[in-house]
Amino acid sequence: MRVFITGASGHVGSALVPELLHNGHQVLGLARSDESAKRLTEWGAEAVRGDLHDLDRLRAAAAAADGVVHLAFRHDAMQAGDLAGAAESDLAALQTIGDALAGTDKPLVSTSGTGMLAGVVQGRVATEDDYDPNGGYRIDAENYVVDLAAKGVRSSVLRLPPITHSRLDHQGFAPSLIAFARRNGFAAYIGDGTNRWSSVHTLDAARLYRLALESAPAGTRLHAIQDEAIEFRPIAEAIGRGLDLPTHSVTADEAPQYLGFLARFAAMDIPTSAARTSELLNWQPTHPDLLADLAEGFYF
């Protein structure tokens, strides 16, 4: 299969491209810079220069491919506080790709986050069946992709947990939490820190993207989850140990001062299951969990 990937040289993309190539697929990767294009070429992929704003290029590349994986997101805008702008760019790119694939029965695997379920699910473990029909930040894009199943696209959405971790993770939530701890002089958690996050190793997530591309049914929501429920305080404590810094509780009102753009996410309690995904695609994580990776020290 000839696969077009947005965000091909990013965190998950840098694991997915080799995963696809090693399993007999060809890869065409969207590259924003000469450096990214060179990296893709060295891996054995074909690079096409552009970004999420190049809608004509996205449309042409998607139409020429046998399948598409959408990984790119404007994390720079999100980290600067422009959540709406980042989400709008994401939705526009997906609508362009969706139009190009309509009626072809080709696969499109898009990306969302389990954190989007925080306003939908409370007091229980979230599953793949949970979603918000009312839309909202990144939810509109997720619902759009699922609805493409009715337009002749074998569409699926892969929800990533708050932390997707590995040596490839340089700009995700784990590096951001570490950067805030360095700046603050302590690793922060909110309240008693018993709110729960989920996580997955990058290489396990990449394998799930491949499996979804190859065989996920149309209109499927999938969860890339290894750890269902890690309390936030042990994550902060592991960061404190890695930096040789103390760990302190902060209030919800103080959180923006110490956790910046992550304050909203750091308070979430969203334990999440991947049982249905594991059964559907015969996927099981095999790599180290989050706390094991933080103990290895490479993040620091």
Side-chain angles (χ1 to χ4, degrees):
M1 190 184 298
R2 180 173 170 81
V3 184
F4 173 52
I5 306 177
T6 69
S9 62
H11 172 196
V12 176
S14 61
L16 178 58
V17 171
E19 172 75 19
L20 291 173
L21 293 173
H22 291 163
N23 284 275
H25 299 287
Q26 297 176 304
V27 174
L28 173 66
L30 187 68
R32 290 191 303 171
S33 66
D34 290 338
E35 181 182 355
S36 295
K38 179 180 179 182
R39 187 180 305 124
L40 288 169
T41 301
E42 289 173 346
W43 291 338
E46 182 182 346
V48 57
R49 286 298 304 274
D51 58 30
L52 291 186
H53 296 297
D54 297 324
L55 299 183
D56 289 340
R57 191 159 298 178
L58 291 179
R59 183 179 295 105
D66 300 314
V68 178
V69 179
H70 177 56
L71 295 172
F73 191 73
R74 291 186 57 208
H75 293 285
D76 55 342
M78 180 187 73
Q79 293 175 359
D82 185 14
L83 298 179
E88 287 170 7
S89 295
D90 185 54
L91 180 57
L94 278 168
Q95 289 172 334
T96 299
I97 294 168
D99 288 345
L101 297 181
T104 66
D105 292 321
K106 293 178 181 179
L108 165 62
V109 185
S110 187
T111 304
S112 186
T114 62
M116 302 304 103
L117 298 174
V120 179
V121 179
Q122 295 181 354
R124 63 172 174 84
V125 175
T127 74
E128 296 90 339
D129 292 328
D130 294 310
Y131 72 100
D132 188 346
N134 298 315
Y137 170 72
R138 298 202 75 174
I139 299 169
D140 293 328
E142 175 180 309
N143 292 344
Y144 169 78
V145 171
V146 171
D147 290 343
L148 283 174
K151 298 181 178 180
V153 181
R154 185 163 62 80
S155 60
S156 59
V157 173
L158 198 156
R159 292 169 174 161
L160 293 172
I163 294 186
T164 302
H165 58 91
S166 71
R167 294 179 182 272
L168 299 170
D169 178 19
H170 303 299
Q171 295 182 326
F173 279 11
S176 297
L177 288 170
I178 290 167
F180 284 126
R182 282 197 172 105
R183 186 193 70 183
N184 298 331
F186 65 90
Y189 58 90
I190 299 174
D192 61 6
T194 58
N195 60 298
R196 296 156 295 175
W197 277 15
S198 52
S199 69
V200 72
H201 194 282
T202 309
L203 298 180
D204 288 314
R207 182 160 49 86
L208 183 55
Y209 273 101
R210 175 179 63 80
L211 294 173
L213 181 77
E214 293 172 346
S215 60
T220 307
R221 289 180 170 89
L222 304 166
H223 283 178
I225 302 298
Q226 179 178 21
D227 295 302
E228 276 194 9
I230 310 174
E231 291 187 352
F232 195 89
R233 180 171 180 170
I235 298 172
E237 290 171 342
I239 290 172
R241 285 192 297 273
L243 296 174
D244 195 24
L245 291 174
T247 306
H248 292 312
S249 170
V250 299
T251 67
D253 289 340
E254 294 171 330
Q257 175 184 350
Y258 296 109
L259 293 169
F261 77 97
L262 277 177
R264 167 188 170 189
F265 301 98
M268 287 180 176
D269 180 53
I270 189 66
T272 309
S273 168
R276 179 166 165 265
T277 297
S278 297
E279 181 178 359
L280 180 67
L281 297 180
N282 192 27
W283 173 79
Q284 292 291 337
T286 60
H287 292 84
D289 63 20
L290 172 61
L291 296 182
D293 261 2
L294 288 173
E296 283 293 312
F298 57 82
Y299 268 112
F300 309 102

